[in-house]
Amino acid sequence: MCGIIAYIGPHPALPRIIEGLKRMEYRGYDSAGVALASEGRLWVRKEVGRVSELTRRLGGGPEVGIGLGHTRWATHGGLTQVNAHPHVDASQQIAVVHNGIIENNNILRSQLEADGVAFRSETDTEILPHLIRKHYRGDPVQAVRDAVQHVQGTYGIAVLFAEHPDVLVAVRNGSPLVVGLGRGETVLASDPQAVVAHTRQVVYLQDRELAVITTDGADVQTLAGQVVDSEVEVLDGDYQLASKEGFPHFMLKEIHEQPRSVRRALRGRLQVDDGNAKLGGLNMTPRDLLSVQRVINLGCGTSYHAGMVAAMAVESLARVPARAEIASEFRYRHPIIQREAVFFAFSQSGETADTLGAVSEIQIKGGEVMGVVNVVGSTIARTCGQGVYVHSGPEIAVASTKAFTSQIAAQLVFTLMLARCRNLSLEQGQAVAAALDGIPGKISQYLQEPGPIDAAVELIASARYVLFLGRGFSYPVALEGALKLKEIAYIPCEGYPAGEMKHGPIAMLDDGAPVVFIAPRDSQTEKAISNMMEVKARGARLICVHTQGDDEVAGLADVSLPVPRSTDFASPLLTALPLQLIAYHTGLALQRDVDKPRNLAKSVTVE
Ligand code: G6P
């Protein structure tokens, strides 16, 4: 959430800061701002909206080699220019950019107001420049260190002093910060994405560490002032500036990338001849796998839905009790962590604060937790230490598509390993591996002929309410389809287990209400057909995602969207595709910003 960038070096800072902000805009796009230190004064510009809005109004700034910038996802205070970062102290000498939430904001604000400080914004962040000013006695580092001792909450901050154009100060507590060590220049950012244009040599700050950043690099210290011998790492991920490759939007490009991204999630992992698989990042021998008594998948949003599918697969194939849990709830309900349980933290970005909080809670209680993460080197991946990279490639559109299918594919590989050392014979293991191996081809086949998506969009775009239904493996897909439509088109909708529909949501249905039914041919199809009849009897219009050639289901549908046949556990990798396309095209029809929907952010680093 929120992108932070700071630069110090021999080159003009402003274009480098703007470039960094563009690379991090997916973290939040409510407003953007910059501050430079020039001739003993601060030069500050900020605008509501996108980085492009800022650059359009920027004019030429001073050509100095020090400054910082911010792209905001609002927490405290509305989307106004005054609330945009950087925030400055009353003397306009100290500029701060912040990612996170200051929890004792009210107390600190009252104390500062009692000291005579007049606040300009509604933000929690504005506390910081005033508090740093209060502690400033000429030493910028000491002032920041003293100030943050009073601050409770999560923060990644960068501080610029007009009087000290040779140093930047940064502190991390709960919100990621990475320092890029270039030649004669140093860059600080909340995301490696913004550092790679300068260097691949980085130091990740840890919680309660402070960095004194100069052109020579960064001195990292604890908040108590002890020097920290930080490890310099080399970024080896794919950090190319993403391109739409001819598609009008990243979301559509990412939907169409799924044959390749799912292939990457499986590549080198399936051992079809042995009916088995291998996940190098897990460090689990068959004996370790045999001792697993429970699997718990944690995640938020789309990642939670992927975790649901994976948990169902574990129960169904490996016969090991498994469940998925929403990460933001898990941490605060004093969870039971059993020694024989394995936890997986599902996260595309690897930065989601709620999921990271759950990881810490598990680790504090002595549990084993592994990441199911897309972004290499992200906080969750590093905190877990081991896990599964899903290798879907950079996902830029805020609404997750290819990461969802890759997370499922990667965890089906894990499921095969878990099942193979228990109850799957060689032949059964071979059949599962072959089924998975065939999925990328089937995704490609579907995307070449996606069916009458336009007809579905026509029913949905004008609807007051849309119900997504599915049973078994299709229930999490229904949840995901509804989430996508909410995120992209802002249409009220919900996903429900089809059998539960008669216990409430059926009251919402009236003549012409669109119901999206996910019903691939499996052991529950007959029950699903009964639910379809109930829906039709209320005058609802049925949009059915079903198996190719299933005339019985197709015959009930007002709009029929066939997908290639697959086994039940792999069906979500196919049935999710039309729902992604429906959300995308409905969003377009309603003139939404499909890649950057309102109020959302790609990386949610606040609780
Ligand atoms: C945000 C995004 C969702 C995403 C969720 C979890 O809410 O808008 O699309 O599913 O975060 O993100 P993660 O990076 O942990 O998968």
Side-chain angles (χ1 to χ4, degrees):
M1 205 101 284
C2 300
I4 288 178
I5 173 100
Y7 174 87
I8 183 164
H11 306 295
L14 186 56
R16 286 161 179 81
I17 291 168
I18 296 291
E19 164 69 15
L21 290 181
K22 283 185 187 153
R23 283 175 170 261
M24 288 188 299
E25 201 170 25
Y26 70 89
R27 298 181 75 96
Y29 34 82
D30 291 334
S31 62
V34 292
L36 305 172
S38 170
E39 296 175 353
R41 299 161 66 129
L42 291 178
W43 182 89
V44 181
R45 295 289 182 278
K46 41 198 198 179
E47 292 296 339
V48 174
R50 308 289 157 90
V51 177
S52 57
E53 197 55 30
L54 176 70
T55 47
R56 206 166 62 77
R57 293 165 179 256
L58 203 55
E63 288 224 343
V64 292
I66 183 164
L68 41 75
H70 186 267
T71 173
R72 177 174 187 237
W73 184 83
T75 59
H76 293 55
L79 316 188
T80 63
Q81 192 183 28
V82 174
N83 287 337
H85 299 216
H87 289 281
V88 297
D89 71 312
S91 65
Q92 312 228 357
Q93 287 285 305
I94 301 169
V96 178
V97 287
H98 165 223
N99 172 23
I101 290 181
I102 298 173
E103 284 164 5
N104 57 344
N105 167 44
N106 288 342
I107 299 171
L108 292 175
R109 199 177 177 103
S110 311
Q111 286 170 355
L112 286 162
E113 278 170 344
D115 292 345
V117 171
F119 278 82
R120 284 172 294 244
S121 77
E122 304 155 279
T123 64
D124 53 344
T125 302
E126 198 191 334
I127 302 282
L128 294 167
H130 297 306
L131 202 57
I132 294 167
R133 172 90 242 170
K134 186 173 168 179
H135 291 277
Y136 181 63
R137 310 272 179 276
D139 179 347
V141 178
Q142 194 59 44
V144 173
R145 182 181 293 128
D146 290 347
V148 296
Q149 307 287 358
H150 300 272
V151 176
Q152 288 163 14
T154 52
Y155 49 85
I157 60 171
V159 191
L160 171 68
F161 292 78
E163 281 177 22
H164 300 276
D166 51 356
V167 68
L168 291 156
V169 186
V171 191
R172 174 197 157 132
N173 188 40
S175 301
L177 283 178
V178 58
V179 185
L181 307 168
R183 284 208 192 122
E185 59 179 7
T186 312
V187 189
L188 171 89
S190 40
D191 191 321
Q193 189 68 246
V195 169
V196 279
H198 305 270
T199 176
R200 284 186 171 252
Q201 307 261 338
V202 298
V203 167
Y204 287 97
L205 293 190
Q206 305 301 318
D207 282 347
R208 303 198 61 75
E209 283 183 358
L210 176 150
V212 183
I213 297 165
T214 62
T215 50
D216 293 335
D219 282 337
V220 181
Q221 323 171 349
T222 64
L223 282 183
Q226 274 174 328
V227 172
V228 177
D229 191 12
S230 305
E231 192 189 337
V232 177
E233 298 179 39
V234 179
L235 295 172
D236 64 353
D238 176 10
Y239 294 100
Q240 298 305 313
L241 247 197
S243 134
K244 291 183 192 148
E245 292 171 14
F247 287 94
H249 297 97
F250 281 110
M251 184 174 175
L252 191 62
K253 177 210 151 199
E254 287 159 7
I255 290 171
H256 280 273
E257 226 181 307
Q258 290 175 101
R260 278 185 284 148
S261 55
V262 169
R263 170 65 64 212
R264 281 199 298 270
L266 301 172
R267 187 186 293 148
R269 292 171 166 175
L270 291 176
Q271 300 168 334
V272 180
D273 289 348
D274 294 339
N276 201 1
K278 183 161 176 51
L279 284 167
L282 279 194
N283 298 328
M284 287 181 98
T285 62
R287 204 175 177 79
D288 296 332
L289 287 166
L290 209 49
S291 65
V292 173
Q293 296 299 316
R294 196 168 291 276
V295 174
I296 296 142
N297 296 335
L298 300 155
C300 303
T302 294
S303 287
Y304 166 64
H305 298 154
M308 284 179 80
V309 174
M312 283 181 188
V314 165
E315 290 212 336
S316 144
L317 280 178
R319 309 300 296 152
V320 172
R323 64 174 198 271
E325 277 207 49
I326 291 174
S328 57
E329 286 293 314
F330 178 80
R331 179 186 192 181
Y332 294 107
R333 62 168 185 74
H334 193 23
I336 297 165
I337 309 292
Q338 292 167 309
R339 178 188 282 271
E340 325 70 44
V342 169
F343 292 83
F344 285 99
F346 284 58
S347 177
Q348 186 286 130
S349 62
E351 301 293 348
T352 301
D354 290 320
T355 311
L356 187 59
V359 167
S360 308
E361 185 65 18
I362 295 163
Q363 290 179 331
I364 285 168
K365 289 185 147 87
E368 177 100 80
V369 55
M370 301 182 247
V372 181
V373 170
N374 188 33
V375 178
V376 175
S378 54
T379 308
I380 291 174
R382 285 182 293 110
T383 306
C384 290
Q386 59 169 325
V388 184
Y389 278 124
V390 305
H391 298 307
S392 75
E395 192 181 62
I396 305 297
V398 166
S400 183
T401 53
K402 64 175 181 170
F404 174 70
T405 45
S406 292
Q407 285 171 332
I408 293 173
Q411 283 309 86
L412 288 177
V413 172
F414 168 74
T415 305
L416 171 56
M417 289 160 61
L418 194 65
R420 184 71 172 93
C421 68
R422 290 156 191 268
N423 50 328
L424 283 195
S425 67
L426 173 62
E427 289 75 22
Q428 289 166 322
Q430 285 169 335
V432 171
L436 289 178
D437 203 33
I439 288 293
K442 292 183 179 187
I443 294 176
S444 173
Q445 190 189 329
Y446 169 74
L447 290 172
Q448 279 160 28
E449 253 181 78
I453 297 291
D454 290 358
V457 170
E458 207 177 307
L459 290 182
I460 287 173
S462 56
R464 281 187 301 111
Y465 168 78
V466 185
L467 183 59
F468 288 75
L469 297 173
R471 303 182 75 106
F473 281 99
S474 299
Y475 163 45
V477 180
L479 293 180
E480 177 59 10
L483 179 64
K484 284 286 88 73
L485 192 64
K486 273 178 237 174
E487 286 180 310
I488 303 301
Y490 322 149
I491 295 178
C493 58
E494 60 188 333
Y496 238 80
E500 186 70 4
M501 182 240 344
K502 57 190 173 293
H503 300 297
I506 198 164
M508 300 293 290
L509 301 183
D510 53 16
D511 242 12
V515 173
V516 182
F517 216 118
I518 300 99
R521 196 38 81 164
D522 59 22
S523 58
Q524 303 212 37
T525 312
E526 291 311 324
K527 297 276 179 225
I529 287 172
S530 306
N531 300 139
M532 286 177 208
M533 301 309 285
E534 292 156 9
V535 164
K536 279 179 85 73
R538 271 78 194 176
R541 308 290 297 274
L542 210 47
I543 298 162
C544 282
V545 177
H546 61 84
T547 304
Q548 251 162 21
D550 188 339
D551 296 337
E552 192 183 4
V553 174
L556 294 173
D558 293 282
V559 178
S560 149
L561 295 167
V563 298
R565 182 176 294 278
S566 70
T567 45
D568 56 358
F569 58 83
S571 65
L573 296 170
L574 296 161
T575 53
L577 306 173
L579 307 188
Q580 296 170 347
L581 288 171
I582 287 174
Y584 171 78
H585 287 287
T586 308
L588 272 194
L590 296 175
Q591 300 184 330
R592 312 300 196 214
D593 185 341
V594 288
D595 279 345
K596 290 196 175 84
R598 72 179 181 203
N599 302 339
L600 299 177
K602 186 78 184 150
S603 181
V604 184
T605 57
V606 293
E607 280 194 56

